[in-house]
Amino acid sequence: MRPTRLKNARSAGVLLCFIVSILLSGCASRPTLLESTYQTLPSHVELNDVPFHPQVEYQCGPAALAMVLNHQEVDTKVEDLIPQVFIPERSGSVQPEMLATARRYERIAFPIRGTLDSLLTHLANGTPVVVMQNLSLPAWPMWHYAVAIGYDLPKETLILRSGEIERHTLSFRRFDATWARTERWGFVIASPGEVPVGIAPEQAVNAISAYEALHGSDAALPSWKALVQRQPDNAMGFFALSNAYYEQNQTDNAQEALIQATHIDPELGVAWLNLGLLYLAQGQTAKAQQALNKAAQLPGPWQDRAVLALKTL
């Protein structure tokens, strides 16, 4: 390349980098935290006991997952996780595989609420968070997994295990700009029987259901119990708890859980149906008719079965 052309190429490269940096910083606005976050959370948190695994090219997913699994005292290595998480065709790891692999190691992966307040709350409660970032522009994504291990509220910085940096600090503003491009996706893991604070009810039910599908109702039962203790207004949590009890032939407990579900959400037709069928099996005809009538009046796929059960009465 001639000197003049080389100079022009360098100038173009500098200009391109400058444009990209402007776009990256220009789209980033300071995330607004709730006042309660400042009032209730510690000003500084750093989970120093989270191990560090350097993330080589395209293997940030297995490395991030190994860090949080090791923190949960799961004996595994990055090399063990690569064939389970890494997808060569995509040169990386996809979210469903990250969650599924945690379940294979008998841990439940809970996606968190997509807010910085939620992320900081999990850290304040001693739980590291796997976060997904897009380090480039939306049109040319550069997906990356890191592990959030702490924060400094006065300085408005987040502390990450990221790439080959064991303690990477990033301002809330710059982190949120990259996190927002993944719809602020992140997750925490917990042992069966533990439900972290702040998980959305639907996400909690889905996470435990996925674990139950792999390991069975007996293994999931402690988590369903923990969920309804953590979220006593979660009607679907009580409904799922009733199913787990029923699978374990604990019909009385299943019945009580269904009663709770219908009290919390009188429009939950499937709970009325199951409650009616339980009463019917116990020979409590009057109670069965009342519950089945409720199910038959509520729109949904349970209506036909409720009507059929009523005809048998």
Side-chain angles (χ1 to χ4, degrees):
M1 183 178 290
R2 294 178 181 176
T4 303
R5 294 177 62 189
L6 180 60
K7 181 179 179 181
N8 291 340
R10 286 176 177 168
S11 299
V14 171
L15 179 61
L16 178 60
C17 291
F18 175 74
I19 292 172
V20 170
S21 66
I22 290 295
L23 288 171
L24 288 175
S25 60
C27 295
S29 59
R30 179 180 176 274
T32 303
L33 295 175
L34 297 173
E35 188 61 34
S36 58
T37 298
Y38 288 101
Q39 293 177 350
T40 62
L41 298 189
S43 59
H44 301 81
V45 167
E46 185 165 358
L47 308 178
N48 293 305
D49 57 344
V50 177
F52 174 61
H53 298 295
Q55 302 170 344
V56 298
E57 188 176 16
Y58 298 136
Q59 294 176 4
C60 58
L65 188 56
M67 288 186 240
V68 292
L69 285 172
N70 292 162
H71 184 255
Q72 280 271 319
E73 300 183 352
V74 175
D75 185 16
T76 189
K77 300 176 182 177
V78 177
E79 293 75 18
D80 301 329
L81 298 174
I82 290 173
Q84 302 182 65
V85 174
F86 182 73
I87 300 177
E89 304 84 53
R90 300 196 179 187
S91 298
S93 308
V94 295
Q95 295 134 300
E97 290 305 317
M98 294 282 283
L99 305 182
T101 301
R103 292 192 290 270
R104 285 193 285 271
Y105 282 88
E106 298 186 354
R107 293 297 184 271
I108 303 179
F110 294 92
I112 69 168
R113 297 176 189 267
T115 68
L116 191 58
D117 297 276
S118 176
L119 173 58
L120 300 185
T121 299
H122 286 294
L123 294 173
N125 285 322
T127 307
V129 184
V130 177
V131 292
M132 186 180 186
Q133 300 168 270
N134 177 5
L135 302 180
S136 184
L137 296 172
W140 299 285
M142 185 185 297
W143 308 115
H144 176 67
Y145 291 100
V147 180
I149 63 160
Y151 63 83
D152 186 319
L153 269 181
K155 294 182 179 180
E156 296 190 343
T157 56
L158 197 68
I159 307 170
L160 303 162
R161 303 248 191 271
S162 180
E164 297 184 356
I165 306 174
E166 183 172 359
R167 191 180 186 276
H168 180 49
T169 59
L170 200 61
S171 70
F172 288 168
R173 176 178 177 176
R174 292 185 64 83
F175 167 75
D176 193 63
T178 61
W179 195 34
R181 299 185 196 116
T182 68
E183 298 183 355
R184 296 183 174 87
W185 191 81
F187 71 91
V188 296
I189 63 171
S191 300
E194 298 177 0
V195 176
V197 176
I199 302 297
E202 183 178 357
Q203 293 282 26
V205 169
N206 291 342
I208 301 172
S209 294
Y211 181 83
E212 185 176 43
L214 182 62
H215 295 286
S217 59
D218 186 41
L221 186 56
S223 294
W224 291 125
K225 291 179 180 178
L227 176 60
V228 297
Q229 289 178 350
R230 175 76 71 192
Q231 300 177 1
D233 295 328
N234 191 334
M236 282 303 299
F238 277 102
F239 175 76
L241 174 62
S242 74
N243 286 340
Y245 273 136
Y246 187 80
E247 288 290 326
Q248 301 303 310
N249 296 314
Q250 299 183 40
T251 53
D252 288 343
N253 287 334
Q255 180 177 298
E256 285 301 315
L258 285 171
I259 291 171
Q260 281 294 109
T262 55
H263 281 172
I264 296 167
D265 184 2
E267 303 298 307
L268 190 57
V270 66
W272 285 113
L273 171 63
N274 282 11
L275 184 58
L277 294 175
L278 270 182
Y279 282 140
L280 192 60
Q282 295 167 354
Q284 300 185 58
T285 308
K287 288 185 176 181
Q289 186 171 21
Q290 183 181 15
L292 292 171
N293 273 328
K294 287 286 295 183
Q297 293 166 11
L298 295 169
W302 48 80
Q303 279 183 306
D304 290 344
R305 190 173 178 190
V307 171
L308 183 63
L310 283 168
K311 290 179 179 178
T312 65
L313 290 175

